[in-house]
Amino acid sequence: MEMDKRYTIKLALTSLNLTKKLSQIINSSGGFEVIAAVDTRHPDLLVMELSGDVGKIMKGIESLLKSGKVSDVFLTAESVNPTILMQAMRIGVKEFIAQPFDDMEILDALKRFKERQTVGAVQAGKKNGQIISVFGSKGGVGTTTVAVNLAVSLAKCAGQYSIALLDMNTLFGEIPLFLEMEPKFHWGEITKHIDRLDDTFLSNILTHHRSGVQVLPSPAYLNGHVRPTPEIMDKLLGLMKQMFDFVIIDSGQSTNDSSLKVLQISDTLLLLSILSLPCLTNTNKLLKSLTDLGYMSPDRIKVVLNRYIKKNEISLKDAEASIGTKIFFTIPNEYDATMAAINNGKPLLELAPKSQITKTFLDLAASLSNSKAGEVKKKSMFFGLA
Ligand SMILES: Nc1ncnc2c1ncn2[C@@H]1O[C@H](COP(=O)(O)OP(=O)(O)OP(=O)(O)O)[C@@H](O)[C@H]1O
Ligand SMILES: [Mg+2]
């Protein structure tokens, strides 16, 4: 994490005394390593004394900053005229340190340097992840099975992606059982401290599963947790989108305001159904309500058929006709494997790596990650003195 990072500083000063004094101040601040002037590494921060050929020094600094070999330069001098100061600002020098050195002034400048670095890193690392909600047309159709195994398969098939798994089932959230984990926190922690929500806070709340998936479970007991409001879900998912390539949500069958908000924000809704008349009827109603009420455009809803057996009384064609849309994916009926996976608290990839259903989840993950728009947000740049 950012906190542990140590920035390197090179001091290009004319006197040994000044170097010693400045090193002392820097070392008292923590988080920095002063490297020798002869060290060939490019430092994160260069502190340069203005003496001699000012024009040449400026040119040197300008090219160092432009090439990105150093990310920040501080200038120091006993005195400096305003024209030179202006010129230094224009080429990207961030701080001017007066001599004799003032401890507080230098510590403040170092603090500002650290803040700039952190902002830069966060901005550069911002993702534009995809939110995929898994919603059951009926209880027990396999929503949690699909959410969990899709998340794990995405982590596996697309090793370079970061994946979060979030449970919207209040009270009856089962993700920790499916993945045999004992999370310290659930989203009650977030609703309680919504003002503190940022990437560091969220990273500390999430529980890491060995598959690489980061899990945010729901509260296991009704002990007066603040319910997630639509505004909270908006804020939480907005942040998660920046931090993860994929956010998979086990939506259960919940249609309260917050769950509808989540659907609205989702890039893709996997609407889970099975080949039974009551379930298909529900799927139909859900498709209509969600699109008619404007919660989701039809192209973002993908119907996934779970527990699929070819020799069913209702054929795929019948099903498609009855819901008026194509079926995006079918997941085979494999009761033994899914049941064993649940009872052992292991994802299918671990428990039944060779099975057809595991392959299907990898295919589903691949098809969803292929359609991911690999849009990278432009790193924002700041010029001049911050
Ligand atoms: N593809 C499948 N083949 C066979 N059985 C399955 C399949 N998917 C899920 N199941 C079984 O269906 C049952 C319910 O699964 P799961 O808990 O994932 O459903 P759910 O929709 O999340 O249920 P709930 O509404 O209780 O949250 C489990 O016993 C599971 O083993
Ligand atoms: Mg469930």
Side-chain angles (χ1 to χ4, degrees):
M1 213 170 282
E2 208 56 40
M3 279 178 255
D4 304 320
K5 178 155 169 80
R6 277 166 71 83
Y7 297 103
T8 48
I9 303 188
K10 194 179 273 190
L11 308 181
L13 307 177
T14 51
S15 95
L16 194 60
N17 265 346
L18 279 179
T19 310
K20 271 192 189 154
K21 171 83 176 123
L22 190 54
S23 302
Q24 264 171 16
I25 301 172
I26 292 168
N27 288 333
S28 76
S29 125
F32 290 98
E33 179 194 352
V34 180
I35 60 174
V38 291
D39 196 317
T40 50
R41 281 180 289 168
H42 294 297
D44 297 307
L45 172 61
L46 174 68
V47 184
M48 182 104 193
E49 187 164 19
L50 258 189
S51 77
D53 190 341
V54 172
K56 200 174 153 198
I57 291 177
M58 292 292 191
K59 277 220 177 77
I61 291 174
E62 190 172 11
S63 87
L64 275 176
L65 285 169
K66 265 198 184 139
S67 65
K69 283 179 180 155
V70 299
S71 46
D72 239 326
V73 175
F74 291 3
L75 278 181
T76 177
E78 271 182 82
S79 68
V80 70
N81 74 44
T83 322
I84 292 178
L85 205 56
M86 281 304 292
Q87 195 194 342
M89 278 163 58
R90 239 180 282 123
I91 62 169
V93 170
K94 288 281 162 41
E95 305 276 354
F96 179 79
I97 298 170
Q99 293 175 17
F101 293 145
D102 175 79
D103 293 39
M104 278 321 289
E105 188 196 334
I106 293 167
L107 290 175
D108 282 342
L110 292 173
K111 200 170 143 221
R112 286 191 291 273
F113 165 80
K114 276 191 194 163
E115 282 165 0
R116 279 194 298 275
Q117 296 305 111
T118 318
V119 170
V122 170
Q123 298 264 346
K126 263 188 192 171
K127 296 174 181 293
N128 183 22
Q130 285 220 7
I131 300 178
I132 302 176
S133 282
V134 186
F135 194 98
S137 298
K138 218 175 173 338
V141 293
T143 312
T144 307
T145 298
V146 171
V148 164
N149 288 289
L150 172 61
V152 173
S153 302
L154 272 167
K156 164 90 179 178
C157 90
Q160 75 272 33
Y161 291 141
S162 52
I163 319 285
L165 177 60
L166 191 148
D167 201 341
M168 283 301 289
N169 294 282
T170 346
L171 198 57
F172 301 118
E174 292 172 339
I175 290 175
L177 296 174
F178 277 59
L179 291 175
E180 201 185 26
M181 53 202 299
E182 287 173 19
K184 283 203 202 76
F185 302 109
H186 49 70
W187 53 241
E189 208 63 35
I190 288 176
T191 52
K192 202 161 62 185
H193 300 289
I194 190 66
D195 298 338
R196 275 176 54 195
L197 184 65
D198 62 15
D199 46 353
T200 312
F201 182 68
L202 184 57
S203 303
N204 289 326
I205 296 290
L206 295 169
T207 305
H208 191 95
H209 183 258
R210 61 179 172 277
S211 60
V213 174
Q214 304 274 347
V215 179
L216 182 59
S218 59
Y221 302 97
L222 283 181
N223 23 358
H225 297 292
V226 185
R227 306 230 159 206
T229 61
E231 293 71 34
I232 288 176
M233 290 321 294
D234 208 18
K235 192 167 173 193
L236 175 61
L237 289 177
L239 177 65
M240 290 184 99
K241 226 175 140 72
Q242 290 176 2
M243 293 170 62
F244 294 95
D245 293 298
F246 290 96
V247 182
I248 310 298
I249 303 171
D250 177 356
S251 293
Q253 285 82 53
S254 169
T255 50
N256 61 33
D257 283 356
S258 301
S259 302
L260 287 175
K261 182 72 189 180
V262 170
L263 295 187
Q264 220 172 9
I265 306 171
S266 299
D267 298 280
T268 304
L269 165 61
L270 298 181
L271 187 53
L272 211 59
S273 189
I274 55 171
L275 279 182
S276 81
L277 202 55
C279 193
L280 287 167
T281 309
N282 282 1
T283 307
N284 205 4
K285 284 186 203 161
L286 276 162
L287 277 168
K288 283 219 163 61
S289 322
L290 290 174
T291 51
D292 288 355
L293 294 173
Y295 281 105
M296 283 207 106
S297 60
D299 57 301
R300 287 193 289 143
I301 309 181
K302 294 180 160 70
V303 178
V304 173
L305 212 64
N306 194 21
R307 310 195 66 163
Y308 176 61
I309 333 173
K310 282 201 181 97
K311 285 186 214 136
N312 197 293
E313 265 185 28
I314 309 172
S315 72
L316 267 189
K317 274 218 167 85
D318 297 338
E320 288 179 338
S322 79
I323 58 172
T325 180
K326 282 258 172 237
I327 282 158
F328 174 66
F329 236 85
T330 56
I331 298 168
N333 186 61
E334 285 193 28
Y335 187 76
D336 292 347
T338 54
M339 211 51 207
I342 296 172
N343 288 334
N344 287 283
K346 291 196 166 71
L348 284 162
L349 249 169
E350 246 178 78
L351 198 104
K354 300 241 146 59
S355 68
Q356 190 55 42
I357 190 165
T358 302
K359 288 200 190 93
T360 307
F361 276 115
L362 287 170
D363 287 346
L364 178 62
S367 91
L368 290 166
S369 61
N370 282 341
S371 61
K372 179 180 157 61
E375 202 185 301
V376 179
K377 281 201 178 154
K378 286 244 168 69
K379 185 178 173 176
S380 55
M381 306 277 275
F382 302 98
F383 293 99
L385 281 167

